[in-house]
Amino acid sequence: QVQLVESGGGQVQPGGSLRLSCAASGSTFSFYSMAWYRQAPGKQRELVAIIIRGGNTDYADSVKGRFTISRDNTKDTTYLQMTSLRTEDTAVYSCNAVVRGVPYWGKGTLVTVSS
């Protein structure tokens, strides 16, 4: 069993930055991937960024060059550094882990980009 807890959300002005954290506990040592998804009001959930065991990363086109996903294995924590935030980045951001083929989700953290 894996538990994921997100933190770091909040309100920020356009052009600002935030760093989200996803703290994992449980049997995470054999994780295959960690990812951040987001869901804006009235829209479907979308993949924002993913990091595969071994370190390969990938991003949604809309965030490339602005967001960076990273993982600290010593702390079992995955981060999403978000810069140059736009109003369209407003959403609930959720952490996802795939461990032994099973997906796990956190409850999410709200990011609001507004002036």
Side-chain angles (χ1 to χ4, degrees):
Q1 195 73 333
V2 174
Q3 296 80 41
L4 304 173
V5 179
E6 301 97 335
S7 61
Q11 184 168 348
V12 64
Q13 292 187 340
S17 299
L18 278 177
R19 188 177 79 158
L20 305 183
S21 300
C22 173
S25 60
S27 303
T28 62
F29 63 93
S30 59
F31 88 100
Y32 173 72
S33 66
M34 299 290 294
W36 286 95
Y37 286 76
R38 68 184 180 187
Q39 187 166 21
K43 294 187 177 181
Q44 289 189 333
R45 184 168 60 192
E46 63 172 346
L47 175 65
V48 176
I50 187 168
I51 184 166
I52 306 296
R53 189 175 189 176
N56 288 343
T57 59
D58 200 8
Y59 298 89
D61 287 343
S62 59
V63 307
K64 281 182 180 177
R66 300 190 297 124
F67 291 11
T68 302
I69 189 171
S70 61
R71 177 168 171 82
D72 185 337
N73 290 320
T74 64
K75 297 181 179 179
D76 233 345
T77 300
T78 302
Y79 303 98
L80 185 69
Q81 179 67 50
M82 305 185 294
T83 63
S84 301
L85 282 162
R86 306 168 181 169
T87 55
E88 55 263 39
D89 294 319
T90 295
V92 174
Y93 285 72
S94 299
C95 183
N96 165 274
V98 176
V99 180
R100 298 192 191 93
V102 178
Y104 296 90
W105 294 92
K107 292 184 178 180
T109 185
L110 177 63
V111 172
T112 302
V113 184
S114 172
S115 56

